[in-house]
Amino acid sequence: MAGVSGPESAPDPRPAAAPPSFEELFLPLVDNAFRLALSLVRNASEAEDLVQEAALAAYRSFASFTPGTNFKAWFYRILINRHYYRYRRERGRPVAVELEEAPELYLFNRTAELGLHRGDGDPAELLMRKMTSDHVRRAIASLPRDFRIPVGLFFLEELSYEAIATVVGCPVGTVRSRLHRGRRMLQKALWKIAEETGIVRQLTPEEAPA
Amino acid sequence: MSATDLLTCEETFRRLDLYLDRALSHEEKRQVEAHLETCAACAAEYRFESTWLEEVRSKLQRIEATPTLRERIAASLAGVADAPRE
């Protein structure tokens, strides 16, 4: 998990190394920052814009980052704030969001209904191998924003509840609840995509090849 | 292991999300895994959820940042570095 340090070592007799530069800390995050941005905005071009803006904002305020603390959490907070800022006007319009809560073990039960638990294959793999990265991206992007962000951060960076709470600025208990409910909603969203794209039909026993 | 160490299926199931989050204590994790060793039904549920999670993660990791993004970022950071400090 983020922030875990290695074993203690003897004090280094050399002069203390300079703290890592912004580029050293930030460049390893570019891909995941883009992936998270992609789940927040409408397309790759907007995702690129968002990451670039966030990188610039972070660079400009790098003096406020305390070396040795969680850079990922610090940067993602900036990225999410930039996202909120850009879409502030859209936030003003009340949107009736149908919070479609999903029960637990949603995909487990759907795949069991298809008979996928009976054979030798792993039912989760049997379903997921037919789904693409774009299906997954779309499913996450379809979640309400409050759930999209903890879910996105969990899958991309494996951040702890505390780190995610720092990023989104809400209590740890809220993060935990949204992450768990969000994962269930994600399963339901993925199933909907699997139905719409014919994947469920392909997996249905009478359609399966002999 | 004493009887108080053994989890029921319901107790095991309630810990599933925390298990997937790696948020269980060492002891709770041991108790869950002890139950899974003896209960095929719970083990199937845990295995499914863990596999699903890894599949989602690996598909997300396959999405690549657009090739121009790093160049754009490098260019804008260089622009800030050259500009007078705000």
Side-chain angles (χ1 to χ4, degrees), chain A residues 31-32 34-35 48-49 52 56 60 104 107 111 124 128 131 133 154-155 161 180 183-184 187, chain B residues 13 17-18 21-22 48-49 52 57 59-61 63 65-66 68-70 72 76-77 80 86:
Chain A
D31 285 313
N32 273 354
F34 178 78
R35 290 162 186 149
E48 219 183 83
D49 289 345
Q52 189 192 357
L56 204 51
R60 286 193 166 119
E104 292 151 332
L107 286 180
T111 52
M128 291 306 292
M131 307 214 67
S133 297
F154 171 78
F155 280 109
Y161 302 139
H180 297 167
R183 279 204 296 253
R184 287 197 269 286
Q187 290 203 347
Chain B
F13 181 70
D17 276 322
L18 295 175
D21 294 345
R22 298 185 204 174
F48 185 96
E49 295 296 315
W52 173 74
R57 192 170 273 140
K59 285 191 198 295
L60 278 177
Q61 300 288 355
I63 296 170
T66 50
T68 49
L69 180 55
R70 279 186 169 79
R72 281 180 61 177
S76 52
L77 297 191
V80 172
E86 286 163 22

Side-chain angles (χ1 to χ4, degrees), chain A residues 49-194:
Chain A
D49 289 345
L50 178 55
V51 175
Q52 189 192 357
E53 278 183 34
L56 204 51
Y59 185 67
R60 286 193 166 119
S61 57
F62 189 51
S64 73
F65 171 71
T66 308
T69 61
N70 194 333
F71 181 82
K72 284 183 186 179
W74 180 81
F75 173 74
Y76 283 120
R77 180 158 203 167
I78 292 172
L79 185 141
I80 281 156
N81 283 343
R82 290 308 307 172
H83 170 60
Y84 285 155
Y85 175 78
R86 281 172 127 244
Y87 290 91
R88 195 167 48 191
R89 287 193 206 120
E90 288 186 24
R91 276 169 63 208
R93 283 187 274 121
V95 175
V97 173
E98 298 240 0
L99 246 192
E100 282 201 46
E101 298 274 358
E104 292 151 332
L105 297 177
Y106 190 84
L107 286 180
F108 182 90
N109 290 327
R110 299 290 82 72
T111 52
E113 285 158 8
L114 284 182
L116 298 187
H117 295 232
R118 279 191 242 123
D120 288 331
D122 184 298
E125 271 178 25
L126 288 171
L127 171 65
M128 291 306 292
R129 85 158 71 115
K130 292 198 175 286
M131 307 214 67
T132 64
S133 297
D134 198 57
H135 291 152
V136 171
R137 180 199 62 76
R138 275 167 46 199
I140 294 178
S142 75
L143 302 180
R145 183 191 282 133
D146 284 346
F147 297 87
R148 221 187 292 165
I149 293 170
V151 167
L153 287 172
F154 171 78
F155 280 109
L156 289 168
E157 293 287 0
E158 298 191 66
L159 293 184
S160 65
Y161 302 139
E162 289 74 16
I164 296 175
T166 307
V167 172
V168 303
C170 66
V172 165
T174 307
V175 165
R176 189 186 304 121
S177 163
R178 286 184 185 161
L179 177 55
H180 297 167
R181 289 160 66 199
R183 279 204 296 253
R184 287 197 269 286
M185 286 182 205
L186 178 62
Q187 290 203 347
K188 197 171 179 184
L190 274 171
W191 186 253
K192 187 160 176 255
I193 291 172

